[in-house]
Amino acid sequence: MRVPLSWLREYVDLPAGETGRDVAAKLVDAGLEVETVEQLGGGLKGPLVVGRVLTIEELEGFRKPIRFCTVDVGTANGTGEPQEIVCGARNFAVGDKVVVVLPGAVLPGDFAIAARKTYGRTSHGMICSGDELGMGDDGTHGIIVLPPEHEVGTDAIELLQLVDEVLDIDITPDRGYCMSMRGVAREAATAYGLPLRDPALLDVPAPNSYGYPVKIDDPAGCDRFTARTVTGLDPDARSPIWLTRRLQKAGMRPISLAVDITNYVMLELGQPLHAYDRSSIDGTIGVRRAEQGEKFTTLDGVKRTLDAEDLVITDNSGPIGLAGVMGGANTEIADSVTDPGTGQVTGTTDVVIEAAHFDSVSISRTARRLKLSSEASKRFERGVDPQAAAAAAQRTVDLLVLLAGGTAEAGVTQVIAPGAPRTIAMSADHPDRVAGMEYGRETVVRRLQEIGCDVYGQDELVVTVPSWRPDLAEPNDLAEEVIRLEGYGNLPSTLPQVPSGRGLTARQQLHRRVGRALAGSGYVEALSYPFIGEGVFDQLQLPAHDVARQVVKLVNPISDEEPALRTTLLPGLLGALRRNDSRGSHDLALFETGSVFRAADRPGVAVRLPVDRRPTDEEIATLNAALPAQPRYAAVVLAGAREQAGWWGKGRPADWADAVQAARALAVEAGAELVVRQGQYGPWHPGRCAELVVTVDGVEQVIGHAGELHPRVVKAMGLPARTSAMELDLDRLAAAGGEALQAPRISSFPVATQDVALIVDASVPASAVEAALRKGAGELLESLRLFDVFTGEQVGEGKKSLAYALRFRAADRTLTAEESTAARDAAVALAGERTGAVLRGA
């Protein structure tokens, strides 16, 4: 809602020195969202005056039509002589009154005006269009042609109201009454503590039996309908400048006098109206539901197919309007047409004014289904004051009589469905309990009365809600009104008391540690949507029976291409890697932690929980039982360089070992012992895939995989060559660890290092040899590291040499050479027993 400050002052006597920003601050404090304050006419400097075109000379020999004009500007140019101006517009003639900007003036955009030679003539100024003055669209896209009554030399800045401030307010759905000057003025009056001149307080004649006939077939959809008739309109009458300027400042385009008046009253009072050409209406006006599939052509010329839920305005010929949304083309106000022979002007002379109140839900559904949002539908969707209909109709009649020379017929039609004012019972101290501070009954009553409520009672209040506030439905709504008017900034800031013994759960702590560990290793977190399409499983080469293909599908997915909840983090991460690589970032290391969703063997049926009370524990348990399992996973993807080349060295590319190392880092954070051994699964390269294994309750469990992706997967998903990835189940990794991380025991005694090189069959995994060495070395072994793998003639065909560094240390003494050697020999012996390993060179 665009609110010109000059128009707002008509209803509230704001302090003279208040700027638009001052008013905006007050309205923001009152709970309105003022997005911007636009300065109209900023930088505008005169002279800018009314001129009369004396002569027009058509200049020949140019690509476009050019006219050399002389314009009478009175004494505004200091000489009284006609002003010579070159202009390319064609929508004015000799004798027309126009807006002239003279040399020395500055137009919006810091456009200085000076005499200049153009098209072989010297132009001393400009004849202005609305766009050049920042006035907005007037429908002509040409020169401003003023009514003939304005005197030559009149200051056009004041005449056209070019200097103003406009508040652009974002009206939330619960504040529909503020989609009008009346509503915003009410808020401003309350914020400043000033009286409101309510534009809806008009003398409205009582309904009678000789108004235009109206029949309501659906009182639930239309509970109030007012019809008034005005005859004898001058079809040549034009909207006055003050009216068109207010419409333009409010963001609407002037069209014709009758339409402009209905739009103006809608902006003023918030009540949408419609004017029908009376000569086009056939019989009684009715309101009913449309017939399924009924056709109707709206004012925009589009033929629409209606639904049985749509409300329509009808006459004997059928629909003539889409209730609360848009009128029909068959009863449109006719544009004035001048007969070139006689000069007689013809057009609409008699109109029927409709001011009705429609059901907000019905209007909202119609507008959305037809994708036809209008200024009227926006207001009806948010709630319109039903009692403003009669006043809006009267205001429209008054303006048509005043500006178009019409005559108001005595007939007044009002069809009103029976209804009673809404009342709410509330304790006088309810706002105090909601806000956590004491307002007192007097303040509560005063604030509720300021918004238009009638309040009765002492400790228990009975509040009658004003007709323009359909959003007030319960005590909490009234409490909110009191709190916002007293000022949210006045609420005390109180830090909540944290109960002792509470904080992050062990699962949450692990989640944070994992994120910090991966970020510290150079990975960047990438968050992706938890939705996937089932086609991605084919790209990942998952077998048909794989559990990851058992997805949970959404009833209302955001995208039809991704209708299921993810069962793996890899598609989202690989998609992020692909997008970044395509945009020039080739060295990538990304990670994500989040939930995946596992479908149950038998899908449960979720119960609908109540909203009027806390659900019972049984209801919550039933709901939880219907949800899919949601284990938390962690995944990383890598491509490009892992270490950049520079003066420090050649750098190196990311490979499968980096993905495996990421898994080891997570195991350290979880305090779990992770076994890495050769594996084969889905998207990973068969020869470069590690299986990640932990032991939970004495049972080995595969919790994930790491390594280089299969070339076919890389090609199918458009990934960089040699892309690597790791994914594991964080919850099962945590189950394999202890409840609390154990700090490492640091010994002050020296370490004893022993290296061994073992020859084993090429088919023996290094992890099996490592496990045997670790078991055989016993408690003195501090760490074990594979530092070399060798194959060749020296070790024999079908063999490989694995070199390990073993570090031994005791917590209470310095180890002797005999002790460390004995531990090493025990480790080698067990490795030989379990894997057939033989010391190299033995």
Side-chain angles (χ1 to χ4, degrees):
M1 177 70 187
R2 290 173 56 85
V3 179
L5 189 59
S6 60
W7 194 357
L8 185 64
R9 290 182 182 275
E10 189 170 302
Y11 311 116
V12 184
D13 290 326
L14 300 173
E18 288 291 278
T19 65
R21 294 191 178 278
D22 296 332
V23 176
K26 285 282 191 179
L27 294 178
V28 168
D29 288 342
L32 294 182
E33 298 180 15
V34 182
E35 294 190 337
T36 60
V37 179
E38 183 180 349
Q39 303 288 332
L40 299 185
L44 178 63
K45 176 184 175 184
L48 188 72
V49 298
V50 176
R52 182 170 63 88
V53 180
L54 300 177
T55 64
I56 298 177
E57 178 186 350
E58 302 289 344
L59 301 183
E60 304 293 339
F62 300 103
R63 287 187 175 182
K64 61 180 181 178
I66 299 297
R67 312 168 96 185
F68 181 69
C69 310
T70 59
V71 185
D72 179 12
V73 294
T75 60
N77 58 4
T79 64
E81 296 296 323
Q83 200 78 2
E84 297 179 340
I85 298 174
V86 176
C87 183
R90 313 289 298 173
N91 67 314
F92 64 95
V94 172
D96 282 346
K97 298 287 182 68
V98 294
V99 178
V100 179
V101 57
L102 302 176
V106 179
L107 294 184
D110 198 25
F111 180 33
I113 303 299
R116 65 188 183 96
K117 191 169 184 179
T118 179
Y119 297 103
R121 303 293 179 95
T122 300
S123 182
H124 299 272
M126 287 174 53
I127 301 175
C128 297
S129 68
D131 290 337
E132 290 164 340
L133 298 179
M135 293 173 57
D137 183 16
D138 62 357
T140 65
H141 300 289
I143 293 302
I144 301 170
V145 179
L146 299 170
E149 63 267 18
H150 297 292
E151 294 291 333
V152 168
T154 302
D155 182 5
I157 295 178
E158 182 177 352
L159 175 67
L160 299 177
Q161 304 171 23
L162 296 179
V163 179
D164 202 350
E165 294 180 274
V166 178
L167 282 64
D168 193 350
I169 305 176
D170 184 14
I171 306 300
T172 53
D174 61 331
R175 296 291 183 86
Y177 67 97
C178 284
M179 294 194 73
S180 67
M181 294 300 304
R182 180 195 185 200
V184 176
R186 185 181 301 279
E187 292 296 317
T190 302
Y192 279 94
L194 297 172
L196 169 70
R197 287 188 290 274
D198 191 346
L201 295 180
L202 301 175
D203 290 331
V204 179
N208 49 54
S209 59
Y210 42 93
Y212 199 94
V214 173
K215 180 183 179 183
I216 308 296
D217 291 333
D218 191 338
C222 177
D223 58 4
R224 188 178 295 257
F225 196 108
T226 300
R228 300 289 299 275
T229 304
V230 181
T231 60
L233 301 180
D234 180 3
D236 196 32
R238 298 173 54 187
S239 299
I241 291 175
W242 66 267
L243 177 59
T244 60
R245 288 299 292 134
R246 285 189 172 180
L247 291 177
Q248 288 174 325
K249 291 176 185 179
M252 301 190 75
R253 179 172 65 87
I255 298 174
S256 64
L257 179 57
V259 176
D260 291 349
I261 287 175
T262 58
N263 286 337
Y264 177 83
V265 175
M266 177 185 68
L267 292 173
E268 184 179 50
L269 301 181
Q271 169 66 55
L273 302 110
H274 191 72
Y276 299 95
D277 187 332
R278 184 176 180 180
S279 63
S280 301
I281 302 177
D282 181 12
T284 300
I285 293 177
V287 181
R288 62 169 171 82
R289 297 287 174 177
E291 297 175 3
Q292 186 67 39
E294 191 171 11
K295 306 294 184 181
F296 173 63
T297 303
T298 47
L299 279 173
D300 55 3
V302 179
K303 191 172 184 178
R304 304 182 186 276
T305 302
L306 304 182
D307 188 85
E309 288 188 357
D310 298 332
L311 271 174
V312 291
I313 311 298
T314 65
D315 64 4
N316 293 341
S317 64
I320 60 173
L322 197 54
V325 180
M326 186 174 287
N330 53 345
T331 57
E332 181 180 6
I333 299 295
D335 294 330
S336 60
V337 178
T338 304
D339 189 308
T342 64
Q344 183 178 0
V345 179
T346 59
T348 298
T349 58
D350 301 338
V351 297
V352 176
I353 306 300
E354 166 209 310
H357 183 262
F358 302 108
D359 175 57
S360 60
V361 174
S362 176
I363 302 305
S364 177
R365 288 176 177 171
T366 297
R368 280 162 174 73
R369 188 181 59 79
L370 295 176
K371 297 181 175 61
L372 187 61
S373 179
S374 64
E375 292 294 331
S377 68
K378 291 176 185 177
R379 285 164 172 80
F380 279 120
E381 288 171 8
R382 290 163 173 79
V384 170
D385 181 5
Q387 295 187 10
Q394 181 63 44
R395 178 72 164 138
T396 305
V397 169
D398 292 344
L399 289 174
L400 285 172
V401 171
L402 175 66
L403 302 178
T407 301
E409 289 194 350
V412 178
T413 303
Q414 276 196 33
V415 180
I416 302 175
R422 289 176 295 113
T423 60
I424 302 173
M426 180 187 74
S427 299
D429 63 348
H430 183 68
D432 300 3
R433 290 185 278 114
V434 172
M437 64 180 296
E438 185 176 349
Y439 293 120
R441 179 188 177 281
E442 182 179 344
T443 298
V444 170
V445 171
R446 175 172 56 85
R447 288 302 190 182
L448 293 179
Q449 289 174 340
E450 285 177 355
I451 65 171
C453 295
D454 291 330
V455 185
Y456 305 94
Q458 293 299 319
D459 295 337
E460 292 293 327
L461 303 179
V462 177
V463 181
T464 302
V465 177
S467 58
W468 59 84
R469 294 299 303 270
D471 58 303
L472 302 181
E474 59 179 38
N476 284 339
D477 298 330
L478 301 178
E480 180 185 2
E481 292 299 298
V482 174
I483 295 168
R484 75 174 180 88
L485 294 178
E486 283 295 302
Y488 290 117
N490 296 325
L491 292 175
S493 298
T494 305
L495 290 175
Q497 297 294 322
V498 180
S500 60
R502 296 186 183 180
L504 296 178
T505 65
R507 189 170 188 253
Q508 292 169 330
Q509 290 173 349
L510 175 61
H511 183 208
R512 290 195 177 185
R513 290 201 306 273
V514 164
R516 284 195 293 264
L518 291 175
S521 298
Y523 292 87
V524 176
E525 186 171 17
L527 301 179
S528 58
Y529 287 111
F531 311 116
I532 58 174
E534 294 181 82
V536 76
F537 299 129
D538 295 330
Q539 294 178 327
L540 293 175
Q541 298 193 48
L542 297 184
H545 61 276
D546 195 287
V547 67
R549 287 183 176 269
Q550 300 176 15
V551 296
V552 178
K553 291 187 177 181
L554 301 173
V555 176
N556 56 340
I558 295 177
S559 169
D560 292 337
E561 295 179 358
E562 295 181 332
L565 293 173
R566 66 187 179 192
T567 56
T568 168
L569 300 180
L570 289 181
L573 267 183
L574 293 173
L577 184 139
R578 180 179 60 248
R579 284 192 298 274
N580 282 275
D581 180 73
S582 67
R583 295 170 184 173
S585 298
H586 304 302
D587 304 324
L588 297 162
L590 309 178
F591 84 92
E592 182 175 10
T593 60
S595 297
V596 299
F597 304 85
R598 300 293 189 186
D601 295 335
R602 292 184 178 180
V605 178
V607 298
R608 186 181 296 275
L609 297 182
V611 296
D612 57 343
R613 58 175 175 80
R614 182 190 182 280
T616 64
D617 293 340
E618 292 76 13
E619 289 171 331
I620 296 175
T622 303
L623 178 64
N624 288 335
L627 298 177
Q630 301 176 44
R632 185 173 292 277
Y633 273 39
V636 304
V637 294
L638 306 99
R642 185 64 174 139
E643 295 178 3
Q644 295 289 338
W647 56 265
W648 54 84
K650 296 181 179 180
R652 68 173 183 86
D655 61 15
W656 62 270
D658 294 300
V660 173
Q661 184 56 35
R664 294 185 188 276
L666 300 192
V668 171
E669 295 299 326
E673 183 177 347
L674 182 71
V675 176
V676 179
R677 63 193 183 199
Q678 186 175 3
Q680 183 174 345
Y681 177 69
W684 280 276
H685 192 296
R688 297 167 189 163
C689 174
E691 191 174 69
L692 309 176
V693 181
V694 295
T695 300
V696 180
D697 297 331
V699 179
E700 281 193 350
Q701 295 184 10
V702 177
I703 64 168
H705 295 82
E708 183 180 314
L709 295 182
H710 198 289
R712 285 199 291 267
V713 173
V714 169
K715 181 178 180 181
M717 302 191 74
L719 303 172
R722 310 300 292 268
T723 297
S724 298
M726 181 277 296
E727 183 176 37
L728 57 76
D729 187 331
L730 268 184
D731 287 344
R732 286 197 284 174
L733 180 67
E739 292 186 0
L741 284 178
Q742 297 295 323
R745 297 172 60 187
I746 300 175
S747 173
S748 59
F749 295 95
V751 65
T753 303
Q754 296 274 1
D755 294 344
V756 296
L758 302 176
I759 298 176
V760 296
D761 291 338
S763 61
V764 175
S767 60
V769 178
E770 179 180 330
L773 289 174
R774 193 179 297 277
K775 181 70 174 177
E779 295 182 354
L780 294 179
L781 181 67
E782 182 178 78
S783 66
L784 182 150
R785 181 174 63 89
L786 174 66
F787 66 87
D788 184 57
V789 179
F790 176 76
T791 57
E793 295 179 359
Q794 294 88 333
V795 297
E797 186 177 354
K799 301 288 186 178
K800 62 183 176 183
S801 172
L802 304 176
Y804 291 91
L806 290 76
R807 291 167 57 91
F808 299 97
R809 196 194 313 254
D812 57 350
R813 67 188 187 281
T814 299
L815 292 178
T816 64
E818 291 78 9
E819 288 177 305
S820 61
T821 300
R824 182 202 65 181
D825 293 343
V828 171
L830 187 58
E833 179 184 333
R834 290 188 175 182
T835 66
V838 178
L839 272 174
R840 186 174 175 181

